[in-house]
Amino acid sequence: MHNLRNKVNRGLLMKNLFTKGINILLAVFLIACNTQHDKKMEQALENAQENRQELEKVFSHYEKDSTKLAAARFLIENMSYHFTQEQYYTSSEKERYRPDVVNFDGFQSVKSHCDSLTRRGYKIKTHNKYDISTLDSHFLIDNIELAFTVWQKPWAKNVSFNDFCKYILPYRAQCEEVSHLRREIMERFVPILDSAKVKTPLEACFVLNEHLKGIMKYGQTGLPLYPTIDETYRSGISQCEGLCNLGTFIMRACGIPVTVEQTTWTKMDLGHSWCVVLDNRKFYSFGPGEDQPDTHARSFSEVRHRRPAKVYRSRFDPDFSIMDKKDDGYVTTLKSPLIYDVTNEYLDKTTLIKVSVDKNNRKKGKSNQVYLCTYNYYEWCPIAIGHRKDTVCYFENVVGDNIFMVADSPDGNKLRNITAPFYTDKDGNIRKFIPQKEHKQTFTLNKRKKKLNQEHTLHFWDTEKERFIPLEYASSTDTTQTYDQIPASALLWFTISERIVNQRIFFIENDSIKSY
């Protein structure tokens, strides 16, 4: 699962990036005298600053090979938008240190070591290392040569040049540290695919992912830093983001077109990442070292709390056409040109959400942008961007049977709620939770089985105060708590004082709890 703070931090990093293709028959087309491409390339070379000579060495190296030169242009044109989120500990003497998880005996050992570092005054620092100004010609040429080598494999040879550039050639999946393991990975895993005599990317993904089940697994390393591919590869353990970065790297190194997708949960806390493989112009989802493509998407649809309301796919080449020219200035990764909405590609039917702005919040901001938010880990978290026309907000391609709230950002710094929380069914029908304080109901709630000794509190969302308000219980037993002052039609939240995941919101209907 993702840590939402890391998502927010990456959103801020993307904000800094804001300030600072086509399928072709002939690779020569990409290096023709095209004004738009030339302008994009010149901007990339300017961004490289002192590293410009290294990038120009790559062009010189491939001046007699138009196809590889086109591939080099694709990488370099788009490198300005990619960076390593480098994280490490620093001592009071400013010495950098990153614990090597392989040198410790499991999660608890790593965690204890990191806790001791904190007690001794070490602090975690995050530094952005931009690809365009740091990657040298040797790395890029080696990466291009290895990618072209596996592109000739039986399972990859029918992948178009455009898809090759997007899903096999790239050296990174997200903002992990750049790895130099591509050759080692290729030499280790390609023979497995050769022996299996696979003929398509999907077949290759099945075979290789089955093999990965024995060498990588989901788990916490105990290291509170963004995982690197090398760490995950050597330890074999990471959470979903690290597994996806490594899984994507391994698949691409073997000539399998793969990228990463992600969601923020609407019926659980935090979020999730997984991978997709491209075969014959269709993407198939899978969990690296876990679920195979024939079961992954189906498990999302069949398991209620795993149904994503929105899904976004990562891309190496940014798409700036999705950016609103009248942007309100609010920072969110949803505005990144490096992701795009693919919710419609999954099994659950999507719907158009149309919801009216509450009367007391109809003052418009400077932009028509609005945000669809879900309650996730103690806050309303945006999962989609829509638009407002007059007093109605519109959000396309959303999976229903979820609870949302709509916000805008008049000042560009923080979100302002402009609707009450509401339930959307699968067809987009809306039911707002406006508490009827004059109508009370009685209900008995079960305490958490493993937290019976902790204090439990029921809250309702007060649409006037715009926050959860605690209620006094009428009676309590060892296992239950009864309330007789619950406002009718209210959104509810039953919590313990300890900050834990999955204390989910709910409402009461026909004397039963509907949890989200």
Side-chain angles (χ1 to χ4, degrees), residues 295-313:
T295 61
H296 187 269
R298 193 168 68 246
S299 72
F300 272 13
S301 183
E302 293 173 351
V303 180
R304 178 180 178 271
H305 63 267
R306 283 172 58 94
R307 289 177 179 168
K310 295 296 287 186
V311 177
Y312 296 95
R313 180 172 296 153

Side-chain angles (χ1 to χ4, degrees), residues 43 69 251 266 278 375 431:
Q43 183 61 57
L69 181 56
M251 294 283 174
T266 51
L278 177 64
Y375 201 70
R431 168 188 169 182

Side-chain angles (χ1 to χ4, degrees), residues 146-160 163-164 167-168 182 185-208 249-258 277-281:
L146 293 173
F148 271 82
T149 297
V150 291
W151 192 23
Q152 304 309 311
K153 289 293 181 179
W155 57 88
K157 65 182 181 180
N158 290 326
V159 175
S160 70
D163 291 334
F164 164 78
Y167 306 114
I168 294 177
R182 188 159 191 157
I185 294 289
M186 183 187 75
E187 292 174 349
R188 176 179 178 182
F189 294 109
V190 165
I192 296 171
L193 301 178
D194 287 334
S195 299
K197 301 187 185 319
V198 294
K199 296 180 180 179
T200 68
L202 186 58
E203 290 177 5
C205 180
F206 266 100
V207 170
L208 188 51
F249 188 81
I250 291 175
M251 294 283 174
R252 288 175 176 173
C254 294
I256 306 172
V258 166
V277 55
L278 177 64
D279 188 299
N280 195 24
R281 294 180 292 181

Side-chain angles (χ1 to χ4, degrees), residues 360-361 420 434-435 437 460-467 469:
N360 58 330
N361 285 320
I434 301 175
K437 299 177 182 179
F460 77 95
W461 183 266
D462 191 318
T463 52
E464 295 175 353
K465 297 180 180 178
E466 296 189 341
R467 57 188 171 91
I469 303 298

